[in-house]
Amino acid sequence: MTGDRRYGAIVIGGGHNGLVCGAFLAKAGLSVLIVEAADTLGGAARNAEIAEGYVAPACAHILHLLHPQVRARLKLRRHGLRLAARRLPTVALDAQGDHLTIRGRHLEGVISDDDVRAWRRLRRRLLRMAGALHPFLGRVPPRLGSDSWRDRLMLIRLALAVRRLGKREMREFLRIVNMNVADLLDDELSDARLKGALAFDAVLGTNFGPRSPGSVLTWLYRLAGEVGSGRTGLAIPQGGMAGLTEALAASARSFGADIWTGTAVKRIVVEGDRAVAVELESGNVLRTRAVLSSADPRATFLNLVGPEHLDTGFLRGVRGIRSNGLAAKLNLALDGLPEFTGLDRAALAGRIVIAPDIAHVERAFDQTKYGAYAAEPAIEITIPTLHDASLAPAGGHVLSAVVQYAPYGLAAGWEAHRDAFADRVMESIERYAPGLARRIVGRQVLTPADIEREFRITGGHWHHGDLAADQIFMLRPVPGWAQYETPISGLFLCGAGAHPGGGVTGAAGMNAARRVLSTRHGKDAG
Amino acid sequence: MKTHDVIVIGAGHNGLTAAAYLARAGLDVLVLERNPYIGGAAVSRELYPGFTYSNCSYVSSLMRPEIMRDLDLPRYGLQITPFRGGLTMTRDGDYIASYRDRDMHRREIARHSPRDAESYDRYSAAVMRQCRFIRPMLLETPPDPTSLLPRDLRGLWRIGRAFRDLGPAGMYETIRFWTMSMADFLDQYFENDLVKAHFTGSSIIGTGLGPRSPGSAYVMLHHHMGEVDGTIGAWGYARGGMGAISRSLAGALEAAGGAIRTDAPVARVIVRKRRVAGVALEDGEEISARAVVSGMDFRRTVLQAMEPGDLPAGLVKAARNFKIRGSSGKLNIALDGMPTFRGVPADCPALAGDLHVTETIEEFERAYDDWKNGRWSRRPYVDLMIPSLTDPTMTPPGKHYMSIFVQYVPPELADGPWTSEKRDAFGRTVIDMLSEYSPDLKDLILHMEVRTPRELEEEVGLTEGNIFQGELTLDQLMFNRPAPGYAQYRLPVRGMYMCGSSTHPGGGVMGAPGANAAREIIADLRAGKRA
């Protein structure tokens, strides 16, 4: 390898944010190296072979938040990104078997006209608010108390975006943005299945239950991301999530970026408060002008940089980041198409949600507060093989399930309880899909502990840290450092631990690259 | 028929405060109270011979000093005596105490965690910063952020400047504080479970939140922004019970020429041509007035006292969706003598303060989950006080009055409505739990009043028994209280106002809503509009 060559920028981590960041930097003319510890790129957005010939999405299994500018500027379509499915409906399972299908504003199934109308009203309102927030996902957050015109302009923009909603909607926004989603849904809707599925959307990947204040904000935040995907909606890439990863890598390479896999970073070399090089596990030291870490903030600062280089206040902030994961992954290799009572093939091709009512999700959450996993979890299921048969042997299928809640800090310890947990999840699914177990030819379980190990995410949190009012935007990753820079000159964050956070958006990597390019590290690094 | 300038519905502390300010402004004011006694939730009741119970609210701190001065309340008998510290007892016979004396307090914390003793100053400094930030807003009418009127823009500008004056670090801290859970806030400073639990109580009192619910940190602040004799965050007893506060307000009102009628339940507000004409009592009597101020909560005011037809649909919906959840109960006990507490020396000064037995945040959270699931907490959080230690006038010599505030108690139980049997069972839950810490408590009980949210609703008139007249969550605070667009004490019927704790700055025996409402009414009546 060309260890002696000096790169303008080295990106740590070949997950989607790392690749996006590297691609944007290379596109701007920097000499870029992206190093990934694993043998395959993609991080949480990669595929995993869970049985002979069965390929499942290792973690993320739906593409719905990819930032439009990432898709366009990196020419992902030209580099091979194809969607096997788009506009997936959400199928809200019902214990009695009369399920409800949510297709955007349309509701299919037995449901009252009042709820149909109320849902359209509520959805229109939420999407308007989300639309006002969307532009800020693709921007560098402002710094408070600074005198720079950039920061002030951004704050004014934010105020205007909210004002532009109009008096009535602005008032409603300023009220509900602080509410808990259970109250909001109970105020507006009556159908239990609908409320259950929507409440699940609001808390998916967060450390909240539907009755936690702030869960409306996390919902709006998710919707703000989806606004960007426009009419594509919930999509599944051709070839699984790896399809996206390959397109990103191809794009980065086309701009001249080097990508090394199987290359773990030992530490970031700091000389006099300046990041000057990256030391690999192999012992190689690669000098560079700018280091961009897509690793989570704790790993970046506590492991790669080292506390000795950072001041107490900053460290306190980093250690204080709530980044314990609570979502697990269950992947099943099946010898045939699973049968869900009351679901036809078309419905099976959708996004199937097990959250029959709000109380179900809240109960599942409550148990995690005491270090237990949910006895009756809330689950999001997709069957990617229905959209892309190449992912399994002929006739075979893959079922991919995101399971909430499963706390990173399981009191009893995960090693001993992984299988018991997986069995519990199976029971929950089989209640709706009797006989599912008999079809299983392979099973993969990823608890937050496994996710931490496999994907090197401290705490195994998909979003590298809770998305909550006190940990987003100007406060992400820690107050005062939301501009992708760090106290170490020349070191930047470009992962989900930075604004706008997790989900396969690529926005963090894009914003970070832009930030670097606006600093001297980017300017003279070409 | 005589037309009053203003009729105030409800002789609670806010109604009386508003009335007193209005009377002092030279207006002809009549206060109508449903009960045979005044005070609402700030009362002293003799429910057992020789014993005075503060049987609803039980301590004072939030009552704004400006109001005490303006209305000259000490002159009408109000005397607040600060009490010392408080303590949290543990099952194994240990405890952690708070002392007014800073060094004693620090030593006590160090006994449990030296590191936390070091952090304590950082913690109290952070809380004090938030107190300083919010206090100027308490006696201000919340500006409407959607309005471009000069007064609103001025108000927003003032808040914005106060915010900016916090400096970068302070601004970030403030944004996080207002949206944070108490558990997360404490985790920033403390490591020891008992120390955290000791500071947690005030973050959940009276609310439908647990210490892990975002927003609970603010509720803690709400309990610390008060003061006694200039000591911010201090709490005290009104000599003669909380009724003394109401009596002094009534004194100030009557001295200014205002009148109070008890046993005068208002049935509805009379509206003619989209303008208030007066009120009708339940016995049919009509009393006319140019303006009517309701001290009742938002829901009762809009949905019971007024006709939906007289109001915009949006307002009616907002009132229906107003979050006003009962979550608290109260035990008032006449004791034959001073009970002992395992492991706590009888001369421990902290015994004169608030006593607790919740040891960990997890216990708080589990108590909260019970409430969410429709039953009273099996191990509730109690805020236990023995006011007679500080104010001997409340009981015969040698006897004591014990006030036990209990969190959480649901307004409706999962297994059906409250019955007297269930109420007694709830009382037993509390007493049995406390007996683990005070073995002789049971034998000392002469008389006990048990109040669930039901009693608080039926006797005091608080919807669902919510002691704050509405949840103290961000979606119902400041310009959102009680509802966006109606936070300036006016209802969209000329001459109709609100002055209860449902309005900014919310619950607690503070008087600020009453004072703020009075200021708006006086301005309107002087301007001649709305009247």
Side-chain angles (χ1 to χ4, degrees), chain B residues 73-219:
Chain B
L73 298 184
R75 178 155 160 229
Y76 302 101
L78 180 59
Q79 184 187 340
I80 307 277
T81 323
F83 61 77
R84 276 194 184 57
L87 53 78
T88 301
M89 293 170 260
T90 67
R91 290 182 189 72
D92 57 20
D94 193 1
Y95 63 85
I96 179 171
S98 299
Y99 302 106
R100 280 265 160 275
D101 178 298
R102 213 173 183 68
D103 296 327
M104 269 177 85
H105 195 185
R106 180 199 294 267
R107 277 199 300 279
E108 173 68 0
I109 298 174
R111 199 161 67 78
H112 298 276
S113 161
R115 188 177 161 283
D116 288 356
E118 291 311 307
S119 312
Y120 179 67
D121 285 345
R122 274 201 307 125
Y123 169 78
S124 38
V127 174
M128 192 53 66
R129 271 194 295 279
Q130 296 308 318
C131 285
R132 295 224 168 81
F133 175 62
I134 189 176
R135 286 160 56 87
M137 302 179 206
L138 298 179
L139 283 173
E140 300 253 338
T141 298
D144 178 350
T146 68
S147 150
L148 293 172
L149 296 174
R151 68 167 288 180
D152 291 309
L153 294 176
R154 268 198 306 278
L156 290 170
W157 170 253
R158 268 200 300 280
I159 295 171
R161 209 181 35 207
F163 182 65
R164 200 182 163 81
D165 290 347
L166 292 164
M171 286 191 271
Y172 292 121
E173 179 184 65
T174 303
I175 299 175
R176 301 188 73 213
F177 178 88
W178 282 68
T179 55
M180 231 180 188
S181 80
M182 187 60 176
D184 292 334
F185 182 64
L186 289 167
D187 282 341
Q188 292 182 306
Y189 303 95
F190 305 117
E191 60 179 11
N192 179 285
D193 284 347
L194 182 58
V195 172
K196 289 185 201 169
H198 184 58
F199 292 121
T200 298
S202 53
S203 72
I204 53 112
I205 283 182
T207 75
L209 300 174
R212 296 214 175 119
S213 310
S216 48
Y218 167 78
V219 178

Side-chain angles (χ1 to χ4, degrees), chain A residues 171 183 362 366 369-370, chain B residues 144 323 325 365 369 372:
Chain A
R171 277 184 172 151
D183 281 345
E362 186 71 15
D366 282 342
K369 294 189 293 190
Y370 314 114
Chain B
D144 178 350
K323 307 296 175 259
R325 303 190 163 113
E365 199 66 32
D369 286 347
K372 272 199 293 183

